């Protein structure tokens, strides 16, 4: 009976974490937000960044400028979560389902992209997005 209660409690905590993660991915963080409309139609440049977990020997850095539409894709060999901690964004990732972040760069900054496999839980930096101010 206690095992059943423990499993129910675990399921409730997991559900609460999932809800919190989905709320935190609303784009309210720092210098990059989710675009409200089709950014390409408004003349904003499109920057595409693909990162992989596990990363290679050199962790890639992708550049964008303020005002750019940035699409970040994170591939992983195992299920877990992809995150851009500086923006408070979290998305699930799996071997057959990459995490995708559709963002609008609003201010300069350096934003790490990390992955935490569900089995291990330890975050690994898989890339960085550097947003520079307009020339």
């Amino acid at each position: 009976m206690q095992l059943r209660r423990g499993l129910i409690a675990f399921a409730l905590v997991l559900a609460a974490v999932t809800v919190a993660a989905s709320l935190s991915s609303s784009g309210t963080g720092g210098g990059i937000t989710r675009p409200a409309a089709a950014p390409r139609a408004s003349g904003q440049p499109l920057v595409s960044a693909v990162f992989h977990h596990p990363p290679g020997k050199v962790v890639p850095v992708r550049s964008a400028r303020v005002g750019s539409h940035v699409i970040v894709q994170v591939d992983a060999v195992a299920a877990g979560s992809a995150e851009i901690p500086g923006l408070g964004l979290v998305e699930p990732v799996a071997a057959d389902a990459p995490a995708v972040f559709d963002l609008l760069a609003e201010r300069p900054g350096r934003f790490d992209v990390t992955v935490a496999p569900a089995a291990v839980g330890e975050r690994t930096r898989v890339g960085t997005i550097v947003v520079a101010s307009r020339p």
Side-chain angles (χ1 to χ4, degrees):
M1 189 61 135
Q2 283 191 336
L3 177 61
R4 181 181 297 175
R5 287 183 183 155
L7 289 174
I8 291 171
F10 177 74
L12 289 174
V13 170
L14 186 60
V17 169
T18 303
V19 169
S22 68
L23 292 175
S24 72
S25 66
S26 64
T28 58
I32 299 180
T33 58
R34 295 179 187 273
R40 298 277 296 159
S42 63
Q44 298 165 333
L46 176 64
V47 175
S48 180
V50 178
F51 301 113
H52 306 281
H53 184 268
K57 291 182 181 181
V58 177
V59 177
V61 176
R62 301 292 181 255
S63 299
R65 294 223 177 260
V66 169
S68 296
H69 176 197
V70 182
I71 297 180
V72 178
Q73 178 178 318
V74 182
D75 300 320
V77 296
S81 63
E83 182 176 358
I84 304 177
L87 302 176
L89 300 176
V90 179
E91 293 288 337
V93 65
D96 59 346
V100 177
F101 300 93
D102 190 352
L103 313 165
L104 179 63
E106 293 183 322
R107 69 170 170 84
R110 185 176 182 90
F111 305 97
D112 289 336
V113 179
T114 63
V115 171
V120 179
E122 187 174 318
R123 292 222 160 265
T124 302
R125 186 169 61 95
V126 295
T128 301
I129 301 168
V130 176
V131 178
S133 56
R134 292 184 181 176

